[in-house]
Amino acid sequence: MMVRLGTRRSALATTQSESVAQLLRDRGHEVELVMITTEGDTNRGPLETMGGTGVFAAAIRHALLAGEVDLAVHSLKDLPVQPEPGLVLAAIPSREDPRDAIVARDGLTLAELPQDAVVGTGSPRRAAQLNALGLGLAVRGIRGNIDTRMSLVTSGTVDAVVLARAGLARIGRTAAITEVLDPLQMLPAPGQGALALEVREDATELRAALAPLDDPDTRAAVTAERALLGALEAGCSSPIGALAEVVEELDGSLMISLRAFVGSKDGGFELRRSVTGPIEAAPRLGIELAQLLLQDGAADVIPPGAPPKPDAFPTHPEDLVPTNAAERES
């Protein structure tokens, strides 16, 4: 089978796409990478002013629906929660380390940076959690690919930048990391570190070919995180972090522990809560935690909206981790 794989042009995007392409080639398929430019690549303004989530995915999704490409490999955190009609997430491979990392001058950790040190990030979520730590850091908004942001440290423009460890690992830049941040300090974005393999709903043969690449634990974890995001997203521009982890109990059952953060960008308000439940309840756990956050004060910084109905997300194990292509849902 010949597969046209649509990807952004950045080093990270092409590396991610090439890794999936090689897995398909190893299974006997031909894969051609097709470069696509997205709004997030050409617009240098803050992400929140461009609509935030989705600016890196819209052009690739359009190419999928138009039949110009057959497969898209997205960073899952870049995908809107609501499914795109006509498209499905055929596979979510095993997740990279989802934590954030510091790349700082002189090998410094976050706690070792002096007061008023300039820390660059384009993420309101990261800015909120950095400011909430009360370290007296000066958080500055930046944009650009990984190498561009890291060059701001070497040039002395900033003292440190915060980046996703997964992205640094995928392009071979982990040696530059001076500290990997504990989720107790900074929770990652929902879906961070995970890839989403998206195809047209009617691409039965390709969906079957991608099915072995799906990781059940990763799919369940990101389902919980994205359900939480979906329940908070209506009218929301506040920073949100979430991390779900799958844990095996002594009796062999699988549980999900889900933690979340909601705060204000200036760090003046922060709220952290968590829930635990069985893996088959992943989407409902996300909605439950969102409701808990709203009840405990998140509504003060997030305009209240109608949370999605529980039925909007899969609730059974076979829905979370489909066993064959015909059963897959986004």
Side-chain angles (χ1 to χ4, degrees):
M1 177 172 53
M2 177 63 187
V3 179
R4 296 164 299 167
L5 195 164
T7 179
R8 294 171 56 210
R9 296 177 182 272
S10 73
L12 176 57
T14 54
T15 299
Q16 291 175 167
S17 296
E18 183 58 40
S19 69
V20 173
Q22 191 56 52
L23 291 174
L24 287 171
R25 292 182 187 121
D26 291 344
R27 289 164 171 77
H29 305 290
E30 295 183 55
V31 184
E32 172 194 0
L33 264 59
V34 178
M35 302 299 169
I36 297 173
T37 300
T38 71
E39 181 186 358
D41 298 313
T42 57
N43 189 329
R44 310 316 299 167
L47 290 180
E48 57 264 39
T49 66
M50 292 187 284
T53 303
V55 298
F56 293 113
I60 298 176
R61 283 180 149 181
H62 177 79
L64 265 179
L65 290 168
E68 297 167 3
V69 298
D70 308 302
L71 167 65
V73 177
H74 305 282
S75 292
L76 184 59
K77 69 177 183 178
D78 292 339
L79 280 186
V81 172
Q82 296 302 321
E84 181 75 15
L87 302 180
V88 294
L89 298 187
I92 300 174
S94 181
R95 188 182 207 173
E96 275 274 4
D97 187 333
R99 295 175 295 173
D100 284 310
I102 294 289
V103 175
R105 63 173 175 83
D106 305 322
L108 298 176
T109 65
L110 193 62
E112 292 169 342
L113 287 169
Q115 190 167 359
D116 296 324
V118 178
V119 180
T121 176
S123 162
R125 169 189 61 82
R126 290 173 179 147
Q129 293 182 86
L130 285 170
N131 286 325
L133 289 173
L135 299 176
L137 302 172
V139 181
R140 178 182 299 176
I142 60 172
R143 285 289 311 279
N145 61 32
I146 290 176
D147 285 331
T148 297
R149 284 178 279 172
M150 288 174 58
S151 72
L152 297 176
V153 178
T154 55
S155 69
T157 304
V158 301
D159 296 293
V161 293
V162 188
L163 302 165
R165 189 195 181 283
L168 291 165
R170 286 179 176 133
I171 65 169
R173 300 287 193 275
T174 55
I177 295 173
T178 57
E179 182 183 14
V180 177
L181 295 176
D182 191 299
L184 292 174
Q185 293 176 290
M186 183 172 294
L187 280 170
Q192 184 163 303
L195 299 180
L197 279 53
E198 192 170 43
V199 302
R200 289 184 296 278
E201 191 172 17
D202 60 3
T204 306
E205 184 181 2
L206 181 53
R207 291 170 67 178
L210 294 170
L213 305 185
D214 195 75
D215 182 70
D217 288 356
T218 297
R219 184 178 280 266
V222 300
T223 294
E225 294 166 15
R226 285 165 63 79
L228 175 136
L229 183 62
L232 294 175
E233 197 169 37
C236 170
S237 60
S238 296
I240 299 170
L243 179 62
E245 297 171 288
V246 177
V247 180
E248 184 174 357
E249 299 289 278
L250 292 177
D251 62 2
S253 63
L254 295 178
M255 303 288 286
I256 285 185
S257 172
L258 175 62
R259 293 176 280 173
F261 162 90
V262 174
S264 59
K265 192 173 178 179
D266 64 4
F269 174 88
E270 66 166 330
L271 185 64
R272 295 174 185 267
R273 294 291 183 269
S274 63
V275 295
T276 303
I279 193 170
E280 59 267 24
R284 291 184 183 274
L285 287 172
I287 294 173
E288 176 186 327
L289 183 52
Q291 293 171 340
L292 178 62
L293 287 163
L294 291 170
Q295 292 168 3
D296 288 351
D300 293 339
V301 293
I302 299 177
K309 297 178 181 179
D311 290 345
F313 297 93
T315 56
H316 302 292
E318 61 269 25
D319 293 326
L320 286 173
V321 190
T323 55
N324 60 57
E327 294 175 350
R328 289 183 176 270
E329 299 293 341
S330 60

